Amino acid sequence: MSQEIFDKVKDILKDIENTAVQSKDELEQFRIKFLGTKNVVKPLFSEIKNIANDRKKEFGQLINEVKQTAESKFNNLKISLAEGEEDAAGAEIDLTAPGAPMTLGARHPISVIMNRIIDIFERIGFTVAEDREIEDDWHNFTAMNTPDDHPARDMQDTFYLMNSTEMLLRTHTSSVQARVMKAKQPPIRIIAPGRVYRNETISARAHCQFHQVEGLYVDEGVSFADLKQTLDYFAKEMFSQDTKIRLRPSYFPFTEPSAEMDVSCFICEGKGCNVCKYTSWVEILGCGMVDPAVLENCGIDSKKYTGFAFGMGIERQAMLKYRVDDIRLFFENDVRFLKQFTSA
Ligand code: PHE
């Protein structure tokens, strides 16, 4: 009789060892069967009395073994079930699915236009010159034939550095022209792109900071015809081969004679629109022959050399080109605005 009980327990032990579960339900059934309050080992206790005394200890050990085996088996089953679930979840990931697209950055519209202008002038032998934005009064004004009390200083409202009458934020990149002329003798053929500052009330049409490209050509025998020819080439490359230019007399302290250049309206092509205000001309830049006084101020012999210069605002061109009606948009860095511009 007692051997029979031993065999029953050993069968239970084998049962435990051979159990495999596929689901949480089956795992729970295993727990109830072997570890629950009504587990299959329990009824055997009532039969202990039938076991010979010298084997009672052995029986107790066997029962303990069943309990420990059931516990560790339960834990192992639980772990492998969880791992199986993870694998199943993993199988749902489609490794061939295309990735979420990365949003591509775009150049700032001001850079697009600026690079385009630089490229056009580089093709005819101009090189880029860059210099500081915090300038001294001499390079920004005095060298440019605009001494202290010159009324033309009012044309450009200037930001001076705190407690300084000497240092300022450059109001135009003509200051770069002054630096280049001081540093080297003709032939000089440069364009000066960069940021400039003017103390203007910020509105849809004006900002206290904007960008310019200025150009300077100084050599023997440079004439107004060269200036006109160069600007005509620029306008055709920049807008279209059908573009016409018109030079109107103007005034700048650093050029004599001076002119403002209009281009035929590239939006309505002469039919009249609100961009050209129904004149069919759009103002693009200021220019002129470098005033001999400017050459002399910068150490260049004005009897031997002549030169022309021009300067244009980039924001204005970008506004015309892209039909943007508020200059402030260029400085807000709102990507919804910025990513609309990919080419000039
Ligand atoms: N410096 C002038 C401006 O900022 C532009 C200009 C440059 C005009 C060179 C004539 C010649 O308004």
Side-chain angles (χ1 to χ4, degrees):
M1 178 62 197
S2 59
Q3 187 52 43
E4 214 174 292
I5 299 179
F6 277 92
D7 290 345
K8 271 190 193 165
V9 179
K10 278 179 186 156
D11 283 347
I12 291 172
L13 208 51
K14 262 194 215 128
D15 242 17
I16 292 172
E17 274 159 1
N18 292 333
T19 304
V21 295
Q22 302 297 332
S23 65
K24 280 186 178 157
D25 275 354
E26 286 175 25
L27 181 68
E28 181 59 4
Q29 278 159 25
F30 174 91
R31 190 191 64 77
I32 292 167
K33 186 171 175 188
F34 299 108
L35 294 164
T37 44
K38 292 178 181 165
N39 65 63
V40 291
V41 187
K42 269 223 171 124
L44 302 178
F45 284 101
S46 60
E47 297 188 37
I48 288 181
K49 58 181 183 302
N50 300 327
I51 296 171
N53 274 344
D54 59 346
R55 291 196 76 185
K56 277 198 172 122
K57 191 178 170 194
E58 191 189 333
F59 183 77
Q61 282 168 349
L62 198 58
I63 294 290
N64 263 341
E65 194 186 333
V66 169
K67 202 179 168 221
Q68 276 162 20
T69 308
E71 271 169 2
S72 69
K73 181 77 182 183
F74 176 77
N75 285 331
N76 290 340
L77 289 173
K78 196 170 156 184
I79 288 166
S80 54
L81 198 64
E83 278 171 358
E85 265 173 16
E86 262 171 36
D87 285 352
E92 280 166 26
I93 296 172
D94 179 0
L95 296 175
T96 66
M102 303 247 280
T103 41
L104 268 185
R107 275 198 201 290
H108 194 287
I110 298 302
S111 300
V112 173
I113 299 282
M114 193 129 99
N115 289 343
R116 190 179 156 106
I117 295 170
I118 290 170
D119 185 62
I120 291 169
F121 283 105
E122 276 182 346
R123 270 184 257 152
I124 53 169
F126 284 77
T127 52
V128 169
E130 287 178 309
D131 218 298
R132 65 212 69 187
E133 290 181 15
I134 298 175
E135 245 321 338
D136 55 49
D137 188 273
W138 192 86
H139 287 92
N140 195 81
F141 286 126
T142 310
M144 287 293 128
N145 205 27
T146 320
D148 270 0
D149 299 326
H150 198 291
R153 286 205 177 203
D154 285 350
M155 287 166 76
Q156 301 176 356
D157 294 312
T158 311
F159 285 119
Y160 283 86
L161 265 59
M162 272 220 279
N163 307 324
S164 175
T165 50
E166 250 320 284
M167 302 303 289
L168 47 84
L169 298 181
R170 66 182 181 193
T171 59
H172 50 185
T173 57
S174 301
S175 55
V176 181
Q177 300 185 20
R179 288 197 176 270
V180 171
M181 285 191 281
K182 279 216 81 178
K184 103 187 247 299
Q185 286 295 306
I188 292 169
R189 194 154 40 179
I190 54 135
I191 43 169
R195 198 175 316 186
V196 300
Y197 303 85
R198 290 183 198 178
N199 190 357
E200 302 224 18
T201 307
I202 297 171
S203 71
R205 316 217 88 226
H207 211 287
C208 61
Q209 55 172 335
F210 60 98
H211 297 76
Q212 278 192 327
V213 174
E214 292 211 348
L216 173 71
Y217 180 28
V218 184
D219 203 349
E220 284 181 52
V222 175
S223 71
F224 200 93
D226 296 324
L227 170 62
K228 191 176 174 190
Q229 167 98 46
T230 304
L231 294 179
D232 188 55
Y233 154 81
F234 165 71
K236 287 186 162 58
E237 291 295 311
M238 185 70 191
F239 303 109
S240 84
Q241 289 303 314
D242 304 326
T243 304
K244 290 177 188 57
I245 64 165
R246 172 173 93 167
L247 292 168
R248 281 180 291 106
S250 186
Y251 173 78
F252 298 102
F254 27 86
T255 46
E256 182 59 36
S258 304
E260 259 160 340
M261 185 178 92
D262 301 336
V263 292
S264 50
C265 185
F266 45 87
I267 292 180
C268 66
E269 286 163 353
K271 289 184 204 74
C273 68
N274 59 358
V275 171
C276 64
K277 304 204 180 72
Y278 298 90
T279 65
S280 72
W281 294 98
V282 182
E283 188 194 320
I284 287 295
L285 54 80
C287 60
M289 298 305 291
V290 181
D291 193 305
V294 172
L295 296 177
E296 294 295 337
N297 286 342
C298 299
I300 290 172
D301 183 354
S302 66
K303 293 197 179 61
K304 190 170 176 202
Y305 297 108
T306 51
F308 68 66
F310 56 86
M312 62 188 107
I314 308 304
E315 278 74 2
R316 180 171 162 71
Q317 305 219 18
M319 287 171 82
L320 291 170
K321 182 100 194 163
Y322 296 127
R323 309 289 296 270
V324 172
D325 59 8
D326 192 329
I327 193 172
R328 291 169 290 200
L329 289 165
F330 293 121
F331 299 100
E332 280 166 5
N333 286 335
D334 183 335
V335 286
R336 290 169 304 178
F337 171 74
L338 294 179
K339 72 181 178 191
Q340 296 177 44
F341 309 95
T342 47
S343 66

PDB file of all heavy atoms in Angstrom, residues 9 13 16-17 59-72:
ATOM      1  N   VAL A   9       2.782   9.911  -5.885  1.00  0.00           N
ATOM      2  CA  VAL A   9       3.496  11.192  -5.742  1.00  0.00           C
ATOM      3  C   VAL A   9       4.509  11.355  -6.861  1.00  0.00           C
ATOM      4  O   VAL A   9       4.674  12.441  -7.434  1.00  0.00           O
ATOM      5  CB  VAL A   9       4.178  11.292  -4.359  1.00  0.00           C
ATOM      6  CG1 VAL A   9       4.933  12.604  -4.240  1.00  0.00           C
ATOM      7  CG2 VAL A   9       3.142  11.205  -3.256  1.00  0.00           C
ATOM      8  N   LEU A  13       4.910  14.291  -9.616  1.00  0.00           N
ATOM      9  CA  LEU A  13       6.179  14.969  -9.889  1.00  0.00           C
ATOM     10  C   LEU A  13       6.471  14.995 -11.402  1.00  0.00           C
ATOM     11  O   LEU A  13       6.848  16.035 -11.961  1.00  0.00           O
ATOM     12  CB  LEU A  13       7.296  14.226  -9.135  1.00  0.00           C
ATOM     13  CG  LEU A  13       8.517  15.026  -8.710  1.00  0.00           C
ATOM     14  CD1 LEU A  13       8.131  16.299  -7.947  1.00  0.00           C
ATOM     15  CD2 LEU A  13       9.410  14.146  -7.817  1.00  0.00           C
ATOM     16  N   ILE A  16       4.174  17.355 -13.174  1.00  0.00           N
ATOM     17  CA  ILE A  16       4.632  18.756 -13.024  1.00  0.00           C
ATOM     18  C   ILE A  16       5.749  19.039 -14.019  1.00  0.00           C
ATOM     19  O   ILE A  16       5.730  20.031 -14.742  1.00  0.00           O
ATOM     20  CB  ILE A  16       5.113  19.006 -11.576  1.00  0.00           C
ATOM     21  CG1 ILE A  16       3.919  18.951 -10.615  1.00  0.00           C
ATOM     22  CG2 ILE A  16       5.830  20.344 -11.475  1.00  0.00           C
ATOM     23  CD1 ILE A  16       4.308  18.986  -9.153  1.00  0.00           C
ATOM     24  N   GLU A  17       6.715  18.150 -14.027  1.00  0.00           N
ATOM     25  CA  GLU A  17       7.882  18.379 -14.889  1.00  0.00           C
ATOM     26  C   GLU A  17       7.515  18.421 -16.371  1.00  0.00           C
ATOM     27  O   GLU A  17       8.121  19.139 -17.148  1.00  0.00           O
ATOM     28  CB  GLU A  17       8.942  17.306 -14.619  1.00  0.00           C
ATOM     29  CG  GLU A  17       9.837  17.733 -13.453  1.00  0.00           C
ATOM     30  CD  GLU A  17      10.561  16.574 -12.790  1.00  0.00           C
ATOM     31  OE1 GLU A  17      10.381  15.423 -13.239  1.00  0.00           O
ATOM     32  OE2 GLU A  17      11.292  16.823 -11.828  1.00  0.00           O
ATOM     33  N   PHE A  59       8.680  10.022   2.808  1.00  0.00           N
ATOM     34  CA  PHE A  59       7.464  10.545   2.193  1.00  0.00           C
ATOM     35  C   PHE A  59       7.396  12.076   2.343  1.00  0.00           C
ATOM     36  O   PHE A  59       7.110  12.818   1.395  1.00  0.00           O
ATOM     37  CB  PHE A  59       6.224   9.883   2.811  1.00  0.00           C
ATOM     38  CG  PHE A  59       4.944  10.338   2.174  1.00  0.00           C
ATOM     39  CD1 PHE A  59       4.556   9.845   0.922  1.00  0.00           C
ATOM     40  CD2 PHE A  59       4.096  11.262   2.802  1.00  0.00           C
ATOM     41  CE1 PHE A  59       3.374  10.267   0.334  1.00  0.00           C
ATOM     42  CE2 PHE A  59       2.929  11.702   2.200  1.00  0.00           C
ATOM     43  CZ  PHE A  59       2.565  11.190   0.961  1.00  0.00           C
ATOM     44  N   GLY A  60       7.698  12.530   3.533  1.00  0.00           N
ATOM     45  CA  GLY A  60       7.701  13.975   3.806  1.00  0.00           C
ATOM     46  C   GLY A  60       8.640  14.709   2.856  1.00  0.00           C
ATOM     47  O   GLY A  60       8.304  15.766   2.299  1.00  0.00           O
ATOM     48  N   GLN A  61       9.828  14.136   2.657  1.00  0.00           N
ATOM     49  CA  GLN A  61      10.799  14.779   1.758  1.00  0.00           C
ATOM     50  C   GLN A  61      10.266  14.836   0.320  1.00  0.00           C
ATOM     51  O   GLN A  61      10.420  15.839  -0.370  1.00  0.00           O
ATOM     52  CB  GLN A  61      12.127  14.003   1.792  1.00  0.00           C
ATOM     53  CG  GLN A  61      12.929  14.325   3.040  1.00  0.00           C
ATOM     54  CD  GLN A  61      14.096  13.364   3.252  1.00  0.00           C
ATOM     55  OE1 GLN A  61      14.208  12.323   2.585  1.00  0.00           O
ATOM     56  NE2 GLN A  61      14.956  13.689   4.208  1.00  0.00           N
ATOM     57  N   LEU A  62       9.598  13.742  -0.059  1.00  0.00           N
ATOM     58  CA  LEU A  62       9.064  13.679  -1.415  1.00  0.00           C
ATOM     59  C   LEU A  62       7.982  14.748  -1.624  1.00  0.00           C
ATOM     60  O   LEU A  62       7.939  15.430  -2.651  1.00  0.00           O
ATOM     61  CB  LEU A  62       8.477  12.277  -1.658  1.00  0.00           C
ATOM     62  CG  LEU A  62       8.264  11.889  -3.120  1.00  0.00           C
ATOM     63  CD1 LEU A  62       9.576  11.965  -3.900  1.00  0.00           C
ATOM     64  CD2 LEU A  62       7.703  10.455  -3.196  1.00  0.00           C
ATOM     65  N   ILE A  63       7.124  14.891  -0.607  1.00  0.00           N
ATOM     66  CA  ILE A  63       6.072  15.915  -0.673  1.00  0.00           C
ATOM     67  C   ILE A  63       6.690  17.306  -0.810  1.00  0.00           C
ATOM     68  O   ILE A  63       6.257  18.146  -1.617  1.00  0.00           O
ATOM     69  CB  ILE A  63       5.167  15.859   0.587  1.00  0.00           C
ATOM     70  CG1 ILE A  63       4.384  14.553   0.644  1.00  0.00           C
ATOM     71  CG2 ILE A  63       4.231  17.061   0.662  1.00  0.00           C
ATOM     72  CD1 ILE A  63       3.304  14.431  -0.409  1.00  0.00           C
ATOM     73  N   ASN A  64       7.752  17.554  -0.045  1.00  0.00           N
ATOM     74  CA  ASN A  64       8.474  18.827  -0.127  1.00  0.00           C
ATOM     75  C   ASN A  64       9.030  19.059  -1.524  1.00  0.00           C
ATOM     76  O   ASN A  64       8.952  20.169  -2.070  1.00  0.00           O
ATOM     77  CB  ASN A  64       9.637  18.846   0.862  1.00  0.00           C
ATOM     78  CG  ASN A  64       9.247  19.560   2.146  1.00  0.00           C
ATOM     79  OD1 ASN A  64       8.268  20.320   2.148  1.00  0.00           O
ATOM     80  ND2 ASN A  64       9.971  19.286   3.205  1.00  0.00           N
ATOM     81  N   GLU A  65       9.579  17.975  -2.067  1.00  0.00           N
ATOM     82  CA  GLU A  65      10.153  18.082  -3.408  1.00  0.00           C
ATOM     83  C   GLU A  65       9.083  18.466  -4.417  1.00  0.00           C
ATOM     84  O   GLU A  65       9.305  19.299  -5.288  1.00  0.00           O
ATOM     85  CB  GLU A  65      10.787  16.735  -3.791  1.00  0.00           C
ATOM     86  CG  GLU A  65      11.706  16.871  -5.009  1.00  0.00           C
ATOM     87  CD  GLU A  65      12.220  15.508  -5.490  1.00  0.00           C
ATOM     88  OE1 GLU A  65      12.314  14.586  -4.648  1.00  0.00           O
ATOM     89  OE2 GLU A  65      12.503  15.387  -6.695  1.00  0.00           O
ATOM     90  N   VAL A  66       7.882  17.843  -4.266  1.00  0.00           N
ATOM     91  CA  VAL A  66       6.773  18.167  -5.167  1.00  0.00           C
ATOM     92  C   VAL A  66       6.443  19.654  -5.080  1.00  0.00           C
ATOM     93  O   VAL A  66       6.306  20.359  -6.092  1.00  0.00           O
ATOM     94  CB  VAL A  66       5.509  17.333  -4.804  1.00  0.00           C
ATOM     95  CG1 VAL A  66       4.291  17.864  -5.563  1.00  0.00           C
ATOM     96  CG2 VAL A  66       5.740  15.868  -5.114  1.00  0.00           C
ATOM     97  N   LYS A  67       6.385  20.147  -3.856  1.00  0.00           N
ATOM     98  CA  LYS A  67       6.024  21.544  -3.648  1.00  0.00           C
ATOM     99  C   LYS A  67       7.056  22.477  -4.307  1.00  0.00           C
ATOM    100  O   LYS A  67       6.712  23.412  -5.032  1.00  0.00           O
ATOM    101  CB  LYS A  67       5.929  21.831  -2.147  1.00  0.00           C
ATOM    102  CG  LYS A  67       5.081  23.030  -1.859  1.00  0.00           C
ATOM    103  CD  LYS A  67       4.968  23.281  -0.367  1.00  0.00           C
ATOM    104  CE  LYS A  67       4.362  24.654  -0.170  1.00  0.00           C
ATOM    105  NZ  LYS A  67       5.005  25.391   0.916  1.00  0.00           N
ATOM    106  N   GLN A  68       8.352  22.175  -4.034  1.00  0.00           N
ATOM    107  CA  GLN A  68       9.407  23.035  -4.595  1.00  0.00           C
ATOM    108  C   GLN A  68       9.442  22.963  -6.125  1.00  0.00           C
ATOM    109  O   GLN A  68       9.567  23.987  -6.806  1.00  0.00           O
ATOM    110  CB  GLN A  68      10.762  22.614  -4.027  1.00  0.00           C
ATOM    111  CG  GLN A  68      11.022  23.261  -2.675  1.00  0.00           C
ATOM    112  CD  GLN A  68      12.115  22.544  -1.896  1.00  0.00           C
ATOM    113  OE1 GLN A  68      12.919  21.806  -2.476  1.00  0.00           O
ATOM    114  NE2 GLN A  68      12.145  22.745  -0.588  1.00  0.00           N
ATOM    115  N   THR A  69       9.269  21.724  -6.619  1.00  0.00           N
ATOM    116  CA  THR A  69       9.291  21.572  -8.084  1.00  0.00           C
ATOM    117  C   THR A  69       8.135  22.337  -8.715  1.00  0.00           C
ATOM    118  O   THR A  69       8.310  23.036  -9.722  1.00  0.00           O
ATOM    119  CB  THR A  69       9.180  20.077  -8.467  1.00  0.00           C
ATOM    120  OG1 THR A  69      10.178  19.345  -7.741  1.00  0.00           O
ATOM    121  CG2 THR A  69       9.399  19.865  -9.954  1.00  0.00           C
ATOM    122  N   ALA A  70       6.960  22.215  -8.086  1.00  0.00           N
ATOM    123  CA  ALA A  70       5.788  22.916  -8.629  1.00  0.00           C
ATOM    124  C   ALA A  70       6.013  24.427  -8.624  1.00  0.00           C
ATOM    125  O   ALA A  70       5.687  25.130  -9.585  1.00  0.00           O
ATOM    126  CB  ALA A  70       4.547  22.557  -7.835  1.00  0.00           C
ATOM    127  N   GLU A  71       6.617  24.918  -7.547  1.00  0.00           N
ATOM    128  CA  GLU A  71       6.857  26.373  -7.455  1.00  0.00           C
ATOM    129  C   GLU A  71       7.840  26.856  -8.521  1.00  0.00           C
ATOM    130  O   GLU A  71       7.599  27.848  -9.207  1.00  0.00           O
ATOM    131  CB  GLU A  71       7.378  26.745  -6.066  1.00  0.00           C
ATOM    132  CG  GLU A  71       6.225  27.045  -5.119  1.00  0.00           C
ATOM    133  CD  GLU A  71       6.659  27.154  -3.663  1.00  0.00           C
ATOM    134  OE1 GLU A  71       7.871  27.029  -3.385  1.00  0.00           O
ATOM    135  OE2 GLU A  71       5.770  27.351  -2.820  1.00  0.00           O
ATOM    136  N   SER A  72       8.942  26.136  -8.643  1.00  0.00           N
ATOM    137  CA  SER A  72       9.929  26.630  -9.612  1.00  0.00           C
ATOM    138  C   SER A  72       9.420  26.432 -11.047  1.00  0.00           C
ATOM    139  O   SER A  72       9.656  27.274 -11.917  1.00  0.00           O
ATOM    140  CB  SER A  72      11.306  25.986  -9.390  1.00  0.00           C
ATOM    141  OG  SER A  72      11.255  24.630  -9.731  1.00  0.00           O
TER     142      SER A  72
END
